[in-house]
Amino acid sequence: MSKNASPDDVVVVSAPSWSQLWLSEDYWAIWLGGLLIAGALWAVHANRPADFEQQASAAAAGTGKLPKLSSPLKAWIARPGSSEASWQSNPLDAIRGAKFDHTRGILGAAAILGVLFALATKVMRGSLIRFLVAFVVVFALATIAYVMASQKVVLAYNLEYVLWALVLGLIVSNTVGTPSWLRPAVRTELFIKTGLVLLGAEILFQRLLQLGYPGMFISWITTPIVLIATYIFGQRVLRIESKSLNMTICADMSVCGVSAAIATAAACRAKKEELTLAISLSLAFTAVSMIVMPAVIRATHMDEVLAGAWIGGTVDSTGAVAAAAALVGEGARDVAVLIKMIQNILIGVIAFGVAVYWVTAVERDPQAARPRVSEIWYRFPKFVLGFIAASLICTWIGSAVVGGEAIVDGAINTATKTLMGWCFCLAFVSIGLETNFRELAHYFRGGKPLVLYVVGQSLNLALTLFMAWLMFYVVFPGARASLGQ
Amino acid sequence: MRRLLIAGAIVGAIWLGVLPWLAEMPWVRARIERFESAGVNPGAIRYTDLPEIPGALERQRQRLADERRPFWVP
């Protein structure tokens, strides 16, 4: 562990040695994430119909439709409360319903993740049996968090599962205390990093151009400007002591909420409490913006294309974007979800950029000479490379292989997306189990994070609206006409 | 242990009592029904969780195909 690291960090740095390849969670996240992605792709490919290549070629030529692929893994990997499984008064409706039964899938996900994480723990010189015993309880808490998040009212206001995972962990740790027998499965770092490598499979760069230049300008020019300007504001004006807290809030607010916050916090080695604070702020403001933005748009009779771009570029959470835009209209919804999708792809670039900036500038000793490449390599969070590699490989398969897009989509939808969600849910249960309410309260003092969020989001709202107007009304009015049809 | 039981009881009361009651309130009911009828998943964390994405992508492909060479696409 480096001299500046603490056990509260989302990610910590270990001393360099070859043994890190099998002893560090950084590398294990890459091995486990890579194995899961490869397994999911193989299962979809092996399960493709006999005439798949012909169908894919016809789709590429514009004379047919790309088939939707599935895999046998789908029946074995599930979570409570997916889109069709919300509940109003009976929590079991999140697990079993008239048209679905997620019991086998939930147990399957527990078995797959439990076995893989237990093996990793064993190789990292932990106890396999102790891990498995504790994992059953941590996984049960994660399952309850998913069930809580799928209650219809909770769902309608976008209070995501990570919040309830955190709350359940906090309840245990702040009432009876986290028992020592549970600690072997409290592996925040391993769960988060593995989830992020799985997230890499969804960062498909070929989708970047879906909305052409307007989409790129609204998502890929405005978002980094807001992120950097807000970070500088936090450092120079508010003088926020923790740079990692400042950066995590900025990424959370400007990119796409929870997943951006997790990726950035891991890349800049934020503390667990800082990640918790950033996500809490984001969820609170998202619930408000879901109600206020459609009302403002209706009151001002804003054009649907412009409204969709505004919502897609500024509402933090992906689900809230779809919900808020649906309240405006179908045209707004298409534009909003596509803008958000393009912005989601930015996470990989942001996480990589933040990791490089942190090891070369923030953590650099100002008195020391310029850091050597070996020093940068030693400090660089390696799982970020797994995350980028997963993204590049899936992008390549999706764009260069015949029918590759259907194979990658199949792997994401039948396996990696759900396993990623479980990893993040387990990570937030673990954060709750390791966090004391009093430590958390310390970060809220002074109100600087709140001011940072409000100022940053105000800039985001103004700049995104201006950029969307510039793109759709001034530079590319043809795009607005086409999208508005 | 007593504090854990009390916290558990509060969580249970909210999720099994208050929230189901709130879900019956007309303004909440209308909001939930609107999302359900539009096929929206407000709890989505990633774009791949959104049921709208395949349809939106398909409609966009169609728009681009219809315009032959739209000048606003690189």
Side-chain angles (χ1 to χ4, degrees), chain A residues 131-148:
Chain A
F131 175 85
L132 282 174
V133 169
F135 183 78
V136 169
V137 178
V138 175
F139 194 89
L141 288 171
T143 307
I144 296 170
Y146 264 132
V147 172
M148 288 166 77

mmCIF file with all atom_site columns, all heavy atoms in Angstrom, chain A residues 131-148:
data_model
loop_
_atom_site.group_PDB
_atom_site.id
_atom_site.type_symbol
_atom_site.label_atom_id
_atom_site.label_alt_id
_atom_site.label_comp_id
_atom_site.label_asym_id
_atom_site.label_entity_id
_atom_site.label_seq_id
_atom_site.pdbx_PDB_ins_code
_atom_site.Cartn_x
_atom_site.Cartn_y
_atom_site.Cartn_z
_atom_site.occupancy
_atom_site.B_iso_or_equiv
_atom_site.pdbx_formal_charge
_atom_site.auth_seq_id
_atom_site.auth_comp_id
_atom_site.auth_asym_id
_atom_site.auth_atom_id
_atom_site.pdbx_PDB_model_num
ATOM 1   N N   . PHE A 1 131 ? -14.948 -17.050 3.231  1.00 0.00 ? 131 PHE A N   1
ATOM 2   C CA  . PHE A 1 131 ? -15.492 -16.134 2.236  1.00 0.00 ? 131 PHE A CA  1
ATOM 3   C C   . PHE A 1 131 ? -16.893 -16.579 1.823  1.00 0.00 ? 131 PHE A C   1
ATOM 4   O O   . PHE A 1 131 ? -17.830 -15.775 1.789  1.00 0.00 ? 131 PHE A O   1
ATOM 5   C CB  . PHE A 1 131 ? -14.586 -16.048 0.992  1.00 0.00 ? 131 PHE A CB  1
ATOM 6   C CG  . PHE A 1 131 ? -15.196 -15.199 -0.088 1.00 0.00 ? 131 PHE A CG  1
ATOM 7   C CD1 . PHE A 1 131 ? -15.037 -13.823 -0.102 1.00 0.00 ? 131 PHE A CD1 1
ATOM 8   C CD2 . PHE A 1 131 ? -16.018 -15.769 -1.071 1.00 0.00 ? 131 PHE A CD2 1
ATOM 9   C CE1 . PHE A 1 131 ? -15.646 -13.029 -1.065 1.00 0.00 ? 131 PHE A CE1 1
ATOM 10  C CE2 . PHE A 1 131 ? -16.626 -14.987 -2.043 1.00 0.00 ? 131 PHE A CE2 1
ATOM 11  C CZ  . PHE A 1 131 ? -16.440 -13.610 -2.037 1.00 0.00 ? 131 PHE A CZ  1
ATOM 12  N N   . LEU A 1 132 ? -17.028 -17.861 1.517  1.00 0.00 ? 132 LEU A N   1
ATOM 13  C CA  . LEU A 1 132 ? -18.322 -18.348 1.017  1.00 0.00 ? 132 LEU A CA  1
ATOM 14  C C   . LEU A 1 132 ? -19.437 -18.167 2.054  1.00 0.00 ? 132 LEU A C   1
ATOM 15  O O   . LEU A 1 132 ? -20.552 -17.776 1.715  1.00 0.00 ? 132 LEU A O   1
ATOM 16  C CB  . LEU A 1 132 ? -18.207 -19.815 0.596  1.00 0.00 ? 132 LEU A CB  1
ATOM 17  C CG  . LEU A 1 132 ? -17.537 -20.046 -0.768 1.00 0.00 ? 132 LEU A CG  1
ATOM 18  C CD1 . LEU A 1 132 ? -17.338 -21.524 -1.018 1.00 0.00 ? 132 LEU A CD1 1
ATOM 19  C CD2 . LEU A 1 132 ? -18.353 -19.413 -1.897 1.00 0.00 ? 132 LEU A CD2 1
ATOM 20  N N   . VAL A 1 133 ? -19.115 -18.453 3.321  1.00 0.00 ? 133 VAL A N   1
ATOM 21  C CA  . VAL A 1 133 ? -20.128 -18.302 4.391  1.00 0.00 ? 133 VAL A CA  1
ATOM 22  C C   . VAL A 1 133 ? -20.577 -16.837 4.460  1.00 0.00 ? 133 VAL A C   1
ATOM 23  O O   . VAL A 1 133 ? -21.778 -16.527 4.486  1.00 0.00 ? 133 VAL A O   1
ATOM 24  C CB  . VAL A 1 133 ? -19.554 -18.768 5.747  1.00 0.00 ? 133 VAL A CB  1
ATOM 25  C CG1 . VAL A 1 133 ? -20.481 -18.376 6.892  1.00 0.00 ? 133 VAL A CG1 1
ATOM 26  C CG2 . VAL A 1 133 ? -19.317 -20.274 5.730  1.00 0.00 ? 133 VAL A CG2 1
ATOM 27  N N   . ALA A 1 134 ? -19.595 -15.923 4.469  1.00 0.00 ? 134 ALA A N   1
ATOM 28  C CA  . ALA A 1 134 ? -19.936 -14.493 4.563  1.00 0.00 ? 134 ALA A CA  1
ATOM 29  C C   . ALA A 1 134 ? -20.618 -14.004 3.286  1.00 0.00 ? 134 ALA A C   1
ATOM 30  O O   . ALA A 1 134 ? -21.532 -13.169 3.344  1.00 0.00 ? 134 ALA A O   1
ATOM 31  C CB  . ALA A 1 134 ? -18.664 -13.688 4.825  1.00 0.00 ? 134 ALA A CB  1
ATOM 32  N N   . PHE A 1 135 ? -20.200 -14.554 2.137  1.00 0.00 ? 135 PHE A N   1
ATOM 33  C CA  . PHE A 1 135 ? -20.753 -14.096 0.851  1.00 0.00 ? 135 PHE A CA  1
ATOM 34  C C   . PHE A 1 135 ? -22.259 -14.354 0.777  1.00 0.00 ? 135 PHE A C   1
ATOM 35  O O   . PHE A 1 135 ? -23.007 -13.543 0.213  1.00 0.00 ? 135 PHE A O   1
ATOM 36  C CB  . PHE A 1 135 ? -20.027 -14.796 -0.302 1.00 0.00 ? 135 PHE A CB  1
ATOM 37  C CG  . PHE A 1 135 ? -20.477 -14.325 -1.660 1.00 0.00 ? 135 PHE A CG  1
ATOM 38  C CD1 . PHE A 1 135 ? -20.019 -13.121 -2.181 1.00 0.00 ? 135 PHE A CD1 1
ATOM 39  C CD2 . PHE A 1 135 ? -21.367 -15.081 -2.424 1.00 0.00 ? 135 PHE A CD2 1
ATOM 40  C CE1 . PHE A 1 135 ? -20.442 -12.679 -3.432 1.00 0.00 ? 135 PHE A CE1 1
ATOM 41  C CE2 . PHE A 1 135 ? -21.785 -14.646 -3.669 1.00 0.00 ? 135 PHE A CE2 1
ATOM 42  C CZ  . PHE A 1 135 ? -21.333 -13.440 -4.177 1.00 0.00 ? 135 PHE A CZ  1
ATOM 43  N N   . VAL A 1 136 ? -22.690 -15.474 1.359  1.00 0.00 ? 136 VAL A N   1
ATOM 44  C CA  . VAL A 1 136 ? -24.128 -15.798 1.332  1.00 0.00 ? 136 VAL A CA  1
ATOM 45  C C   . VAL A 1 136 ? -24.927 -14.662 1.974  1.00 0.00 ? 136 VAL A C   1
ATOM 46  O O   . VAL A 1 136 ? -25.965 -14.223 1.444  1.00 0.00 ? 136 VAL A O   1
ATOM 47  C CB  . VAL A 1 136 ? -24.391 -17.140 2.066  1.00 0.00 ? 136 VAL A CB  1
ATOM 48  C CG1 . VAL A 1 136 ? -25.883 -17.367 2.282  1.00 0.00 ? 136 VAL A CG1 1
ATOM 49  C CG2 . VAL A 1 136 ? -23.776 -18.292 1.274  1.00 0.00 ? 136 VAL A CG2 1
ATOM 50  N N   . VAL A 1 137 ? -24.419 -14.130 3.089  1.00 0.00 ? 137 VAL A N   1
ATOM 51  C CA  . VAL A 1 137 ? -25.141 -13.055 3.792  1.00 0.00 ? 137 VAL A CA  1
ATOM 52  C C   . VAL A 1 137 ? -25.061 -11.743 3.003  1.00 0.00 ? 137 VAL A C   1
ATOM 53  O O   . VAL A 1 137 ? -26.058 -11.037 2.843  1.00 0.00 ? 137 VAL A O   1
ATOM 54  C CB  . VAL A 1 137 ? -24.585 -12.876 5.222  1.00 0.00 ? 137 VAL A CB  1
ATOM 55  C CG1 . VAL A 1 137 ? -25.287 -11.740 5.946  1.00 0.00 ? 137 VAL A CG1 1
ATOM 56  C CG2 . VAL A 1 137 ? -24.735 -14.174 6.002  1.00 0.00 ? 137 VAL A CG2 1
ATOM 57  N N   . VAL A 1 138 ? -23.871 -11.408 2.499  1.00 0.00 ? 138 VAL A N   1
ATOM 58  C CA  . VAL A 1 138 ? -23.716 -10.155 1.738  1.00 0.00 ? 138 VAL A CA  1
ATOM 59  C C   . VAL A 1 138 ? -24.595 -10.217 0.485  1.00 0.00 ? 138 VAL A C   1
ATOM 60  O O   . VAL A 1 138 ? -25.264 -9.239  0.126  1.00 0.00 ? 138 VAL A O   1
ATOM 61  C CB  . VAL A 1 138 ? -22.225 -9.915  1.371  1.00 0.00 ? 138 VAL A CB  1
ATOM 62  C CG1 . VAL A 1 138 ? -22.072 -8.688  0.475  1.00 0.00 ? 138 VAL A CG1 1
ATOM 63  C CG2 . VAL A 1 138 ? -21.396 -9.725  2.635  1.00 0.00 ? 138 VAL A CG2 1
ATOM 64  N N   . PHE A 1 139 ? -24.631 -11.377 -0.173 1.00 0.00 ? 139 PHE A N   1
ATOM 65  C CA  . PHE A 1 139 ? -25.458 -11.518 -1.370 1.00 0.00 ? 139 PHE A CA  1
ATOM 66  C C   . PHE A 1 139 ? -26.950 -11.402 -1.008 1.00 0.00 ? 139 PHE A C   1
ATOM 67  O O   . PHE A 1 139 ? -27.734 -10.811 -1.764 1.00 0.00 ? 139 PHE A O   1
ATOM 68  C CB  . PHE A 1 139 ? -25.185 -12.868 -2.054 1.00 0.00 ? 139 PHE A CB  1
ATOM 69  C CG  . PHE A 1 139 ? -25.730 -12.947 -3.454 1.00 0.00 ? 139 PHE A CG  1
ATOM 70  C CD1 . PHE A 1 139 ? -24.967 -12.545 -4.540 1.00 0.00 ? 139 PHE A CD1 1
ATOM 71  C CD2 . PHE A 1 139 ? -27.031 -13.395 -3.689 1.00 0.00 ? 139 PHE A CD2 1
ATOM 72  C CE1 . PHE A 1 139 ? -25.475 -12.589 -5.832 1.00 0.00 ? 139 PHE A CE1 1
ATOM 73  C CE2 . PHE A 1 139 ? -27.547 -13.440 -4.972 1.00 0.00 ? 139 PHE A CE2 1
ATOM 74  C CZ  . PHE A 1 139 ? -26.772 -13.044 -6.052 1.00 0.00 ? 139 PHE A CZ  1
ATOM 75  N N   . ALA A 1 140 ? -27.324 -11.957 0.163  1.00 0.00 ? 140 ALA A N   1
ATOM 76  C CA  . ALA A 1 140 ? -28.727 -11.853 0.597  1.00 0.00 ? 140 ALA A CA  1
ATOM 77  C C   . ALA A 1 140 ? -29.102 -10.384 0.813  1.00 0.00 ? 140 ALA A C   1
ATOM 78  O O   . ALA A 1 140 ? -30.198 -9.943  0.428  1.00 0.00 ? 140 ALA A O   1
ATOM 79  C CB  . ALA A 1 140 ? -28.937 -12.656 1.875  1.00 0.00 ? 140 ALA A CB  1
ATOM 80  N N   . LEU A 1 141 ? -28.196 -9.606  1.420  1.00 0.00 ? 141 LEU A N   1
ATOM 81  C CA  . LEU A 1 141 ? -28.464 -8.173  1.614  1.00 0.00 ? 141 LEU A CA  1
ATOM 82  C C   . LEU A 1 141 ? -28.596 -7.464  0.259  1.00 0.00 ? 141 LEU A C   1
ATOM 83  O O   . LEU A 1 141 ? -29.464 -6.603  0.080  1.00 0.00 ? 141 LEU A O   1
ATOM 84  C CB  . LEU A 1 141 ? -27.339 -7.528  2.442  1.00 0.00 ? 141 LEU A CB  1
ATOM 85  C CG  . LEU A 1 141 ? -27.300 -7.890  3.926  1.00 0.00 ? 141 LEU A CG  1
ATOM 86  C CD1 . LEU A 1 141 ? -26.025 -7.358  4.579  1.00 0.00 ? 141 LEU A CD1 1
ATOM 87  C CD2 . LEU A 1 141 ? -28.518 -7.342  4.669  1.00 0.00 ? 141 LEU A CD2 1
ATOM 88  N N   . ALA A 1 142 ? -27.738 -7.850  -0.698 1.00 0.00 ? 142 ALA A N   1
ATOM 89  C CA  . ALA A 1 142 ? -27.818 -7.249  -2.038 1.00 0.00 ? 142 ALA A CA  1
ATOM 90  C C   . ALA A 1 142 ? -29.158 -7.597  -2.699 1.00 0.00 ? 142 ALA A C   1
ATOM 91  O O   . ALA A 1 142 ? -29.767 -6.758  -3.371 1.00 0.00 ? 142 ALA A O   1
ATOM 92  C CB  . ALA A 1 142 ? -26.652 -7.741  -2.892 1.00 0.00 ? 142 ALA A CB  1
ATOM 93  N N   . THR A 1 143 ? -29.624 -8.818  -2.488 1.00 0.00 ? 143 THR A N   1
ATOM 94  C CA  . THR A 1 143 ? -30.918 -9.236  -3.060 1.00 0.00 ? 143 THR A CA  1
ATOM 95  C C   . THR A 1 143 ? -32.053 -8.390  -2.468 1.00 0.00 ? 143 THR A C   1
ATOM 96  O O   . THR A 1 143 ? -32.945 -7.926  -3.196 1.00 0.00 ? 143 THR A O   1
ATOM 97  C CB  . THR A 1 143 ? -31.169 -10.731 -2.774 1.00 0.00 ? 143 THR A CB  1
ATOM 98  O OG1 . THR A 1 143 ? -30.036 -11.472 -3.233 1.00 0.00 ? 143 THR A OG1 1
ATOM 99  C CG2 . THR A 1 143 ? -32.421 -11.242 -3.458 1.00 0.00 ? 143 THR A CG2 1
ATOM 100 N N   . ILE A 1 144 ? -31.991 -8.186  -1.150 1.00 0.00 ? 144 ILE A N   1
ATOM 101 C CA  . ILE A 1 144 ? -33.034 -7.365  -0.498 1.00 0.00 ? 144 ILE A CA  1
ATOM 102 C C   . ILE A 1 144 ? -32.986 -5.932  -1.053 1.00 0.00 ? 144 ILE A C   1
ATOM 103 O O   . ILE A 1 144 ? -34.025 -5.312  -1.295 1.00 0.00 ? 144 ILE A O   1
ATOM 104 C CB  . ILE A 1 144 ? -32.855 -7.378  1.040  1.00 0.00 ? 144 ILE A CB  1
ATOM 105 C CG1 . ILE A 1 144 ? -33.044 -8.790  1.581  1.00 0.00 ? 144 ILE A CG1 1
ATOM 106 C CG2 . ILE A 1 144 ? -33.842 -6.430  1.716  1.00 0.00 ? 144 ILE A CG2 1
ATOM 107 C CD1 . ILE A 1 144 ? -32.646 -8.966  3.044  1.00 0.00 ? 144 ILE A CD1 1
ATOM 108 N N   . ALA A 1 145 ? -31.762 -5.421  -1.275 1.00 0.00 ? 145 ALA A N   1
ATOM 109 C CA  . ALA A 1 145 ? -31.626 -4.058  -1.825 1.00 0.00 ? 145 ALA A CA  1
ATOM 110 C C   . ALA A 1 145 ? -32.299 -3.958  -3.200 1.00 0.00 ? 145 ALA A C   1
ATOM 111 O O   . ALA A 1 145 ? -33.005 -2.986  -3.492 1.00 0.00 ? 145 ALA A O   1
ATOM 112 C CB  . ALA A 1 145 ? -30.146 -3.682  -1.932 1.00 0.00 ? 145 ALA A CB  1
ATOM 113 N N   . TYR A 1 146 ? -32.090 -4.975  -4.029 1.00 0.00 ? 146 TYR A N   1
ATOM 114 C CA  . TYR A 1 146 ? -32.737 -4.984  -5.347 1.00 0.00 ? 146 TYR A CA  1
ATOM 115 C C   . TYR A 1 146 ? -34.261 -5.015  -5.209 1.00 0.00 ? 146 TYR A C   1
ATOM 116 O O   . TYR A 1 146 ? -34.979 -4.336  -5.959 1.00 0.00 ? 146 TYR A O   1
ATOM 117 C CB  . TYR A 1 146 ? -32.285 -6.210  -6.132 1.00 0.00 ? 146 TYR A CB  1
ATOM 118 C CG  . TYR A 1 146 ? -31.134 -5.974  -7.081 1.00 0.00 ? 146 TYR A CG  1
ATOM 119 C CD1 . TYR A 1 146 ? -30.038 -6.825  -7.100 1.00 0.00 ? 146 TYR A CD1 1
ATOM 120 C CD2 . TYR A 1 146 ? -31.151 -4.920  -7.991 1.00 0.00 ? 146 TYR A CD2 1
ATOM 121 C CE1 . TYR A 1 146 ? -28.983 -6.632  -7.986 1.00 0.00 ? 146 TYR A CE1 1
ATOM 122 C CE2 . TYR A 1 146 ? -30.111 -4.716  -8.872 1.00 0.00 ? 146 TYR A CE2 1
ATOM 123 C CZ  . TYR A 1 146 ? -29.030 -5.575  -8.871 1.00 0.00 ? 146 TYR A CZ  1
ATOM 124 O OH  . TYR A 1 146 ? -27.991 -5.374  -9.759 1.00 0.00 ? 146 TYR A OH  1
ATOM 125 N N   . VAL A 1 147 ? -34.749 -5.827  -4.260 1.00 0.00 ? 147 VAL A N   1
ATOM 126 C CA  . VAL A 1 147 ? -36.203 -5.920  -4.063 1.00 0.00 ? 147 VAL A CA  1
ATOM 127 C C   . VAL A 1 147 ? -36.749 -4.566  -3.598 1.00 0.00 ? 147 VAL A C   1
ATOM 128 O O   . VAL A 1 147 ? -37.784 -4.091  -4.089 1.00 0.00 ? 147 VAL A O   1
ATOM 129 C CB  . VAL A 1 147 ? -36.542 -7.043  -3.050 1.00 0.00 ? 147 VAL A CB  1
ATOM 130 C CG1 . VAL A 1 147 ? -38.025 -7.013  -2.680 1.00 0.00 ? 147 VAL A CG1 1
ATOM 131 C CG2 . VAL A 1 147 ? -36.172 -8.410  -3.622 1.00 0.00 ? 147 VAL A CG2 1
ATOM 132 N N   . MET A 1 148 ? -36.023 -3.911  -2.675 1.00 0.00 ? 148 MET A N   1
ATOM 133 C CA  . MET A 1 148 ? -36.463 -2.592  -2.189 1.00 0.00 ? 148 MET A CA  1
ATOM 134 C C   . MET A 1 148 ? -36.517 -1.583  -3.343 1.00 0.00 ? 148 MET A C   1
ATOM 135 O O   . MET A 1 148 ? -37.443 -0.771  -3.437 1.00 0.00 ? 148 MET A O   1
ATOM 136 C CB  . MET A 1 148 ? -35.502 -2.075  -1.105 1.00 0.00 ? 148 MET A CB  1
ATOM 137 C CG  . MET A 1 148 ? -35.614 -2.826  0.215  1.00 0.00 ? 148 MET A CG  1
ATOM 138 S SD  . MET A 1 148 ? -34.225 -2.470  1.308  1.00 0.00 ? 148 MET A SD  1
ATOM 139 C CE  . MET A 1 148 ? -34.663 -0.848  1.914  1.00 0.00 ? 148 MET A CE  1
#
